[in-house]
Amino acid sequence: SYRALGLPQLRVGTRVPTEVLEHLVGLATELRAQRSKPTATPEEARAANAALRSSMRERGNYFPDIERAAAGALARASYVGGALSQGMLLSVVAQHGFSVRFVPDLPRSVRSLTDLRGNRIYVKQEPVGGHSARAVILQALGHFLLGHDTPRDFADFLRQRVEANYFAAAMLIPETAAVAFLRDAMSRRDLAVEDLVDVYSVSYEMAAHRVTNLITHHLELPCHFVKNDASGIIYKAYQNDGILFPADITGAIEGQRMCRQWSGRRVFSAPDRFSPHYQYSDTPAGTYFCVAQVDPRADERGYAISLGVPFEHSRWFRGRETTDRVKSNCPDGECCQRAPLTLAERWDGMAWPSARAHSHILSALPAGSFPGVDDVDIYEFLDQHAAD
């Protein structure tokens, strides 16, 4: 780092004052810290997301190396099937030299914190409806089993996060058993996300995302996945079936608003939003069969999770007999992005909304090797618990 600055070599002799040495050491420490901070603007983050999603689509959202790592970890712990119990989970963690501590005072900026000196994974026991402690622990373990190092930049941070999440899902819904389960359901024309939720005791979101990992690679079924809130803002999305998501000029989908006719929007007005909502959607890219459900484990705002496939593959899924069929012309503005002419003529210029401020869109993402993590908080926490 010093040579890269192009400065002359500094000869440190006995006559160099201690204050100067302290000054140099302080500058060197800060230079090292600054070089490790993968700060990104919202635009850079969206571009990184778009690139990562393209990579996932090319491989059908299937990561064979991570599948093998998860299968190996389960085999060493003598896993025999079914939902991964907490006892089996702790056995898996112990097999790799780590222990788990549940604490009430975990720093707010993290879901888990690993002490690499004491090989402890600290987790806060979340209340019902929060993140699954099993998934959080396995995500932390996945970083080490997958050989992750300090992220080089924000794109590397995102990649590592996706891989750790994939590892946790592959541990909680193991490939071999899950594929056999899905094949059997397909033979009965009864594929359904909620069955994986029941069998493996995972969230609806994890089960739906795990289906996208497996059904293209093993069952040759293209698909799409979306997570959105009640206003239609997209938080996560994936597709390899040709459906057209709303996107900005960089190709980013996150933060865009989905069509009002899509199942992820309509489920919020369904009589029972916590039960599967089935529908067919005629779109400019073709007709799709989709099932959406508001995840009951999500926070109070609620998020809809949608899984869909092209019309010709609907025959394999539960709910295909639905008569609910809608037409969506989005991204054509005449579909639902502009108000009907009569309403626009009546209210144009007569409305002044006070919008919620989303201050995060105006600034760079939080700096740090792990964006958004407060280093002071985590170091103080580790120091406090080191003697426990």
Side-chain angles (χ1 to χ4, degrees):
S1 298
Y2 185 81
R3 284 195 300 270
L5 296 175
L7 298 174
Q9 183 177 355
L10 177 66
R11 297 184 181 280
V12 180
T14 56
R15 289 199 231 171
V16 179
T18 300
E19 292 83 357
V20 174
L21 296 178
E22 291 174 345
H23 188 76
L24 290 170
V25 170
L27 287 174
T29 301
E30 181 59 22
L31 177 62
R32 185 180 302 113
Q34 291 292 336
R35 285 175 177 263
S36 70
K37 293 180 178 179
T39 305
T41 64
E43 291 76 17
E44 291 169 332
R46 287 194 291 270
N49 255 323
L52 181 60
R53 187 169 51 252
S54 176
S55 172
M56 293 163 65
R57 183 170 59 250
E58 289 174 2
R59 58 172 64 202
N61 206 20
Y62 180 77
F63 293 68
D65 292 344
I66 302 179
E67 296 286 359
R68 286 192 291 271
L74 288 170
R76 285 192 292 275
S78 301
Y79 168 80
V80 294
L84 193 69
S85 67
Q86 181 158 312
M88 181 62 67
L89 169 65
L90 296 179
S91 175
V92 169
V93 173
Q95 287 277 339
H96 296 90
F98 289 90
S99 62
V100 176
R101 296 289 181 90
F102 292 94
V103 293
D105 57 339
L106 193 71
R108 292 177 59 86
S109 60
V110 299
R111 285 191 290 172
S112 71
L113 179 56
T114 305
D115 172 4
L116 297 180
R117 181 174 287 120
N119 280 2
R120 293 176 179 175
I121 299 174
Y122 292 99
V123 180
K124 182 177 181 180
Q125 182 67 59
E126 298 285 355
V128 174
H131 286 288
S132 163
R134 295 181 306 154
V136 172
I137 292 167
L138 289 169
Q139 287 161 4
L141 181 65
H143 284 299
F144 303 104
L145 296 193
L146 300 177
H148 292 165
D149 203 346
T150 302
R152 299 184 302 275
D153 51 30
F154 191 75
D156 197 36
F157 168 78
L158 282 181
R159 177 189 61 80
Q160 291 184 7
R161 187 180 178 89
V162 164
E163 291 179 355
N165 289 345
Y166 191 113
F167 176 82
M171 291 287 289
L172 292 171
I173 310 176
E175 179 180 24
T176 301
V179 170
F181 184 89
L182 292 172
R183 284 193 190 282
D184 178 65
M186 185 176 179
S187 70
R188 294 181 282 106
R189 302 193 175 209
D190 197 33
L191 283 170
V193 172
E194 57 268 30
D195 289 350
L196 287 180
V197 174
D198 294 338
V199 171
Y200 293 101
S201 188
V202 296
S203 70
Y204 191 90
E205 179 179 351
M206 176 175 280
H209 210 278
R210 187 63 173 141
V211 169
T212 72
N213 298 152
L214 301 174
I215 65 170
T216 299
H217 182 78
H218 290 284
L219 306 182
E220 299 182 350
L221 299 178
C223 63
H224 65 267
F225 166 96
V226 194
K227 176 181 180 179
N228 63 276
D229 65 15
S231 66
I233 300 300
I234 296 174
Y235 287 79
K236 295 180 183 178
Y238 164 80
Q239 66 85 9
N240 65 2
D241 60 0
I243 198 168
L244 297 176
F245 289 124
D248 65 16
I249 58 174
T250 69
I253 295 171
E254 292 77 12
Q256 300 297 304
R257 197 184 303 276
M258 68 160 54
C259 178
R260 294 173 182 271
Q261 301 303 322
W262 285 21
S263 59
R265 295 285 298 274
R266 299 183 75 231
V267 68
F268 283 98
S269 58
D272 180 5
R273 66 171 63 182
F274 299 116
S275 292
H277 169 75
Y278 306 105
Q279 74 173 53
Y280 290 97
S281 303
D282 297 321
T283 79
T287 299
Y288 293 87
F289 169 77
C290 304
V291 54
Q293 181 172 324
V294 176
D295 194 336
R297 298 193 187 189
D299 63 24
E300 65 278 1
R301 291 177 295 174
Y303 293 101
I305 307 299
S306 305
L307 180 76
V309 295
F311 176 82
E312 60 267 30
H313 299 294
S314 63
R315 65 185 184 275
W316 308 115
F317 286 81
R318 185 180 303 166
R320 63 189 177 278
E321 66 280 357
T322 182
T323 58
D324 192 352
R325 186 162 185 165
V326 301
K327 184 176 181 60
S328 167
N329 289 325
C330 282
D332 183 348
E334 297 305 319
C335 178
C336 68
Q337 300 302 315
R338 288 197 288 267
L341 184 60
T342 54
L343 287 179
E345 290 177 342
R346 183 181 308 155
W347 292 106
D348 185 32
M350 294 293 108
W352 187 281
S354 180
R356 290 183 180 273
H358 298 286
S359 59
H360 62 277
I361 68 174
L362 302 176
S363 62
L365 296 176
S369 299
F370 301 91
V373 173
D374 188 321
D375 288 346
V376 175
D377 279 353
I378 65 174
Y379 294 158
E380 288 179 347
F381 173 88
L382 290 174
D383 206 51
Q384 177 185 345
H385 286 270
D388 292 352

